[in-house]
Amino acid sequence: MKKPVCVTVTGAAGQISYSLIFRIASGEMLGPDQPLILKLLEIKPALGALRGVKMELEDSAFPLLQDITCTDNAEIAFKDSDIALLVGARPRGKGMERKDLLEANANIFSSQGKAINEVAARKIKILVVGNPANTNALIVANNAPSIDQKQITAMTRLDHNRSLTQLAQKIDRPIAQIKRVIIWGNHSSTQYPDLHHCLVGGTPALPLIDNEWYVNQMIPSVQQRGASIIKARGASSAASASNAAIMHMQSWLHGSKDGDWVSMGVVSDGSYGIEKGLVYSFPCTCADGDWNIVKNLEINMFSRQKMAATETELIEERDAVAHLFT
Ligand code: NAD
Ligand code: LMR
């Protein structure tokens, strides 16, 4: 029997977690023969609801799930954690931008970064989902100096998946034939869904669509998709966000497949001229539990401007929370 992997989920009584935790416990994220223990973090007022989640986990009789800890203490939740999914944060409501959450959520990520720094496994892999995800990940990175920044990522896989489906529907081709979509930058309305390198059945995607649709419909619709869901559902995306978190971790842990790329918010190494240290979404490949930015892509003037606009927003967000960096 393999040694169990310790997985921490924050915001464990919230909407995303209600889907996410059960998929993790079933083995979907780590693999069908990998035992795990769950450490679930919530704030005190939500511990009652979390007790109910724990009861449902028990009633699911997941063979791989060896233990469940529920706590409102970050040092207990992150103790020896191998994987942390940082979901716990306020979601936005109608009419808000994700960066409007910065003030409400930033302190959560500075204190959790400090706890991770003290007690987590040194090789911990971290995915930040709580918004604004890129800058919250930056806060974690700056409060956990003993953790390699390569182990701290933010989620743009939902935007990546949204782009795949929009294109597949437009050209009436299966999603499985579409490869090398890219999301550049921030998980926000400035993000840049880039189809310039995208392939459909091995041939370039752009000649299959008209530029007007790409520029004036697809890009804004992916940028605004989160807001459209809030308008329709009265609450932010949850099952699709949980699905994207599982896919992000599957790629990172088990590798990206078939020459495809995945979009991940990662600490910039200066690639493509993006300011070093920002958490920016790049096209990545994953292998052996590691990720690497896809290098040397040709970037035209249109893309360059879009990539710079989302970088500018991330610089503004970083400057607004710089007082939280240790
Ligand atoms: P939710 O309000 O249903 O759940 C959030 C949970 O976090 C709540 O149960 C709350 O009690 C808990 N929480 C708050 N502060 C905490 C803390 N300090 N420690 C631990 N738990 C804490 O929200 P949700 O719909 O599950 O969304 C969670 C976050 O994910 C939001 O910020 C949302 O905007 C974001 N989100 C991101 C993406 C993405 O693609 N990156 C997609 C969807 C949602
Ligand atoms: C999303 O993209 O659906 C989430 O980030 C929620 C939101 O606020 O848009």
Side-chain angles (χ1 to χ4, degrees):
M1 190 75 162
K2 287 178 166 176
K3 185 173 169 273
V5 167
C6 174
V7 180
T8 303
V9 180
T10 74
Q15 327 180 66
I16 295 176
S17 292
Y18 195 62
S19 158
L20 178 64
I21 291 170
F22 291 81
R23 293 181 66 174
I24 295 170
S26 75
E28 215 182 318
M29 181 176 86
L30 299 172
D33 62 350
Q34 178 57 60
L36 70 146
I37 60 177
L38 278 174
K39 294 196 175 168
L40 306 178
L41 181 66
E42 258 298 347
I43 50 173
K44 207 177 270 312
L47 286 178
L50 186 57
R51 199 169 58 246
V53 173
K54 183 179 184 215
M55 289 161 72
E56 287 204 70
L57 280 167
E58 289 164 351
D59 294 352
S60 302
F62 291 117
L64 294 168
L65 182 56
Q66 293 198 346
D67 193 26
I68 310 165
T69 300
C70 296
T71 179
D72 63 350
N73 180 325
E75 301 222 338
I76 294 175
F78 292 116
K79 178 80 182 135
D80 300 328
S81 181
D82 299 304
I83 293 179
L85 304 173
L86 307 188
V87 181
R90 215 183 114 187
R92 66 175 165 153
K94 270 189 197 166
M96 290 171 78
E97 287 294 331
R98 296 182 188 94
K99 66 183 167 202
D100 298 336
L101 295 168
L102 206 46
E103 207 176 314
N105 289 339
N107 284 319
I108 297 175
F109 292 88
S110 62
S111 60
Q112 290 181 359
K114 288 187 176 75
I116 288 169
N117 196 50
E118 291 305 315
V119 301
R122 297 301 84 185
K123 292 261 174 330
I124 185 172
K125 285 182 162 59
I126 299 169
L127 170 61
V128 177
V129 175
N131 277 321
N134 299 53
T135 299
N136 288 336
L138 182 71
I139 294 171
V140 172
N142 280 283
N143 281 275
S146 68
I147 303 296
D148 184 340
Q149 296 200 333
K150 247 199 134 181
Q151 295 161 216
I152 301 168
T153 65
M155 191 165 93
T156 53
R157 187 62 171 265
L158 180 53
D159 312 292
H160 185 106
N161 289 344
R162 288 168 173 166
S163 304
L164 282 172
T165 299
Q166 298 246 342
L167 178 60
Q169 288 179 347
K170 178 71 182 170
I171 59 177
D172 196 19
R173 297 279 287 270
I175 286 170
Q177 288 187 3
I178 303 177
K179 305 254 185 293
R180 303 191 172 184
V181 158
I182 304 172
I183 301 295
W184 297 101
N186 201 1
H187 173 62
S188 78
S189 53
T190 66
Q191 67 179 270
Y192 171 41
D194 182 359
L195 297 184
H196 287 86
H197 308 275
C198 177
L199 302 174
V200 180
T203 61
L206 276 185
L208 303 176
I209 52 177
D210 62 86
N211 202 46
E212 197 282 327
W213 175 79
Y214 172 47
V215 174
N216 296 322
Q217 291 189 52
M218 189 218 154
I219 294 177
S221 135
V222 173
Q223 289 172 330
Q224 295 297 335
R225 185 70 167 185
S228 305
I229 288 168
I230 291 169
K231 198 162 161 221
R233 227 171 73 83
S236 66
S237 64
S240 57
S242 137
N243 180 62
I246 298 274
M247 289 174 88
H248 177 112
M249 292 309 304
Q250 281 173 338
S251 299
W252 192 0
L253 293 165
H254 310 303
S256 47
K257 306 270 185 277
D258 306 326
D260 203 359
W261 304 337
V262 292
S263 300
M264 298 172 70
V266 299
V267 178
S268 170
D269 60 355
S271 292
Y272 299 98
I274 301 304
E275 189 164 321
K276 264 192 181 175
L278 291 176
V279 174
Y280 190 97
S281 178
F282 289 97
C284 294
T285 54
C286 303
D288 305 321
D290 198 7
W291 55 263
N292 284 295
I293 294 172
V294 177
K295 303 275 181 160
N296 301 319
L297 295 174
E298 246 180 66
I299 305 292
N300 67 17
M301 194 53 79
F302 176 81
S303 296
R304 176 63 58 202
Q305 282 169 357
K306 296 263 179 225
M307 289 163 67
T310 191
E311 178 189 23
T312 300
E313 182 183 46
L314 282 168
I315 290 170
E316 285 163 11
E317 288 185 17
R318 178 202 60 199
D319 292 349
V321 296
H323 60 284
L324 292 171
F325 298 171
T326 49

